[in-house]
Amino acid sequence: MTPRADAFARLFEAVHEGVFIGALGLPGAEGRDATVAANPHLKLIFGYPADAPEADVVPFAHERFIDAGARAAFLERLATDGAVTDYLLRMRRADGTPVWVEVTALARTANRGGATRIEALVRNVSTRKKLDDQSRDIHQQLLQAEKMAALGQTISGVAHELNNPLATILSWAERLSEKPLDETSRRGVGVILGEAERAARIVRNLLTFARKRQSTRAMIDLSTVVRETLALRAYDSSSGLSVVTELPAGLPQVFADAHQIQQVLLNLVINAEQAMLTAHGGGSLVVRTWHDAELDAVVLDVTDDGPGVPPEAQTKIFDPFFTTKEVGKGTGLGLTVAYAIVQEHGGRIRVESPPQGGASFLVELPVSGTQPAAKPARAMVPPMDAARGASVLIVEDEHALAAAVAEALTDAGLKVDHAGDGQEALARVRNTTYDVVICDLKMPRIDGMTLYRAIAAATPALARRVIFVTGDVAGADAERFLVESGCRWLAKPFRLSDLLRAVRETLA
């Protein structure tokens, strides 16, 4: 061997790139692949034993390609351009495990109808591909979080404006329902009550991702919650749906609100059912749980064999009001609520949908958590008679709502005054003694928080008897204020019976 050939041989053996020289059979010409030379690093990339004969190393054989049609596309590109540079392929190693490689190669067709001769450099880029995918995933999460934050602020303000008229409608409808009415009027009032509460539920769903909601969390077994939730859905042979479950026992427990996790699962399951029934009248649903030790999380996987989620919809699927269903078939809030609940639990929810169809929604819940202190037991609430004669100041800029509340409290035997905003209320408190103050949190001129601080400074005893009502608690400042004040509060729209109960509790 000449010195030059000897140097080339040492380089061939030592280079940290896979080197392949050989021939690739054209599509339809099975068994035409041949290897002239394959260096040790190529064997390492594709999982061949170090002592495997070079002739047995066939990295571009049909069975090495994971993606259907990838080999034909690769050969077509070689035939058309005569070369490829950093051509990305997902391949299968000798033991069947996947590996991502980049191929830089020169090619020429040996003879008519024969094999394609190539000299190729092969680089293992699995680690880089994984990091790229993770970076892309993190970027999508950040975009989604920013989008949710912006939408949350917008919807927070809209919800406040909607909740005020809803509270007025609900309160007056409740007042009317207590009056002697003919059958038609009573039925109409019942419809108004029901529809107002329905609208209120939609607004509450919107606010789920705009603010933290009170929840009761405990250490729960996710498999048990999933098993019990699926029992709520009745599947029979006539439905055309089948459910396969893999719910192992002994998974690490998660600190979560079981009812909220149940709501997440029901939203995912119902969406999957509707997708499969609409697409082909039935299908198979697979629900699994497992522990991901690397993430230190318990994972819930809901997979259907429906039509799948198009790539352009995957980045919008958790947005409010986004839906792929027909008009009137869905509000587009189910997945938004699920996203908010999972985020609030410190977890993550994502969708995977391959081009061939089907969709998987994966919910990851962290294993670790801290259990909050138990709430003190609520004291017995005295009857309304014990509150008769008490004086109440209503601070509310929505005059129609204030009138309905004032009438209800007057009928219950209380003495009622009304102030249209915080500034007027402050003047009344300075000149009149009140037993209870019912105050809106968000008002013009002086808001509820400023009014409360002024009352606390001048009359600390009255500050302990303030009840707040609010159409929105989305801001962190408002949440922190309500917690620190210790005052009772009701979310608009509320039932008058709930407000009367709060008054009785406050007077107690």
Side-chain angles (χ1 to χ4, degrees):
M1 182 180 294
T2 67
R4 184 175 181 180
D6 184 56
F8 176 79
R10 288 198 305 271
L11 178 63
F12 184 78
E13 294 289 323
V15 68
H16 283 273
E17 297 271 347
V19 180
F20 174 80
I21 301 172
L24 305 184
L26 295 176
E30 300 289 343
R32 297 289 299 278
D33 285 23
T35 300
V36 174
N39 75 337
H41 199 73
L42 185 74
K43 296 178 184 179
L44 179 66
I45 291 174
F46 283 92
Y48 288 97
D51 58 353
E54 290 187 357
D56 294 343
V57 179
V58 281
F60 299 107
H62 293 272
E63 64 272 13
R64 294 277 78 85
F65 288 80
I66 292 178
D67 302 322
R71 187 177 192 273
F74 177 57
L75 290 176
E76 183 179 351
R77 177 74 174 274
L78 285 172
T80 302
D81 298 344
V84 294
T85 301
D86 296 337
Y87 192 95
L88 187 64
L89 289 168
R90 188 161 64 120
M91 309 294 284
R92 187 178 287 113
R93 290 158 57 94
D95 60 1
T97 58
V99 60
W100 285 95
V101 298
E102 276 183 351
V103 180
T104 297
L106 293 173
R108 63 183 184 276
T109 301
N111 50 56
R112 192 168 49 190
T116 298
R117 288 289 305 271
I118 73 167
E119 294 89 32
L121 291 178
V122 181
R123 183 183 301 114
N124 184 346
V125 294
S126 297
T127 301
R128 193 194 74 195
K129 186 69 167 60
K130 182 179 179 181
L131 291 174
D132 287 347
D133 290 345
Q134 288 175 345
S135 298
R136 191 179 303 110
D137 195 32
I138 290 170
H139 179 65
Q140 288 298 327
Q141 289 182 58
L142 289 173
L143 287 178
Q144 184 71 14
E146 289 174 2
K147 186 164 36 177
M148 285 298 185
L151 283 170
Q153 290 300 317
T154 302
I155 289 175
S156 168
V158 173
H160 181 269
E161 297 305 315
L162 285 174
N163 276 332
N164 276 321
L166 281 174
T168 303
I169 293 168
L170 196 59
S171 298
W172 277 111
E174 193 175 353
R175 294 282 296 147
L176 286 172
S177 68
E178 297 169 354
K179 307 292 184 184
L181 300 171
D182 59 73
E183 185 59 33
T184 302
S185 299
R186 183 170 296 281
R187 188 167 60 251
V189 169
V191 170
I192 293 171
L193 273 170
E195 292 302 293
E197 289 183 329
R198 176 188 172 198
R201 283 194 298 272
I202 292 174
V203 174
R204 281 196 295 272
N205 279 341
L206 280 172
L207 282 173
T208 299
F209 77 90
R211 66 176 170 89
K212 293 181 179 178
R213 302 176 64 87
Q214 289 183 330
S215 63
T216 304
R217 297 193 190 183
M219 301 304 293
I220 64 170
D221 180 271
L222 186 61
S223 290
T224 300
V225 173
V226 172
R227 199 175 293 112
E228 292 172 351
T229 304
L230 291 177
L232 300 175
R233 306 294 298 169
Y235 296 96
D236 54 51
S237 57
S238 61
S239 69
L241 295 170
S242 63
V243 180
V244 178
T245 60
E246 296 178 20
L247 308 172
L251 293 178
Q253 292 190 324
V254 295
F255 186 58
D257 184 321
H259 294 291
Q260 289 187 335
I261 300 304
Q262 186 178 74
Q263 182 181 0
V264 170
L265 177 58
L266 284 173
N267 281 339
L268 297 179
V269 168
I270 290 169
N271 276 359
E273 290 174 8
Q274 293 174 345
M276 292 186 293
L277 289 171
T278 302
H280 34 70
S284 177
L285 186 68
V286 178
V287 182
R288 301 185 299 146
T289 55
W290 72 86
H291 177 223
D292 189 320
E294 185 177 342
L295 296 174
D296 194 25
V298 176
V299 183
L300 165 65
D301 178 1
V302 179
T303 298
D304 66 72
D305 60 358
V309 182
E312 64 273 12
Q314 292 180 25
T315 57
K316 305 184 232 176
I317 195 139
F318 298 109
D319 291 356
F321 299 117
F322 179 81
T323 179
T324 57
K325 300 173 186 174
E326 297 177 14
V327 176
K329 297 293 185 181
T331 63
L333 292 175
L335 288 177
T336 302
V337 170
Y339 181 91
I341 290 173
V342 174
Q343 288 285 101
E344 205 170 296
H345 279 74
R348 175 185 173 212
I349 182 171
R350 56 193 170 89
V351 62
E352 294 179 356
S353 185
Q356 61 267 30
S360 296
F361 284 85
L362 296 104
V363 176
E364 299 164 1
L365 297 173
V367 168
S368 56
T370 305
Q371 190 167 356
K375 294 182 180 179
R378 178 179 288 181
M380 291 292 293
V381 181
M384 200 65 220
D385 290 344
R388 288 186 180 277
S391 58
V392 179
L393 174 63
I394 300 171
V395 190
E396 173 61 67
D397 59 325
E398 293 284 330
H399 293 281
L401 175 58
V405 171
E407 283 195 17
L409 294 176
T410 301
D411 289 351
L414 288 86
K415 299 175 184 177
V416 182
D417 274 351
H418 172 235
D421 58 41
Q423 188 168 317
E424 183 183 346
L426 195 56
R428 286 183 176 274
V429 167
R430 286 169 178 163
N431 298 318
T432 309
T433 301
Y434 294 101
D435 297 304
V436 179
V437 176
I438 299 171
C439 181
D440 193 3
L441 197 61
K442 188 175 181 180
M443 294 180 295
R445 298 205 289 183
I446 294 179
D447 62 15
M449 287 186 280
T450 305
L451 174 62
Y452 173 82
R453 293 183 181 113
I455 293 174
T459 318
L462 180 59
R464 293 193 294 271
R465 297 194 301 275
V466 175
I467 301 170
F468 287 103
V469 293
T470 177
D472 171 39
V473 199
D477 291 341
E479 290 180 9
R480 193 180 307 112
F481 166 76
L482 288 173
V483 172
E484 291 174 354
S485 71
C487 292
R488 290 174 176 80
W489 64 275
L490 296 175
K492 294 179 181 178
F494 49 81
R495 298 301 292 260
L496 291 173
S497 56
D498 293 333
L499 179 61
L500 289 171
R501 178 186 177 89
V503 170
R504 295 200 304 274
E505 289 177 340
T506 302
L507 289 171

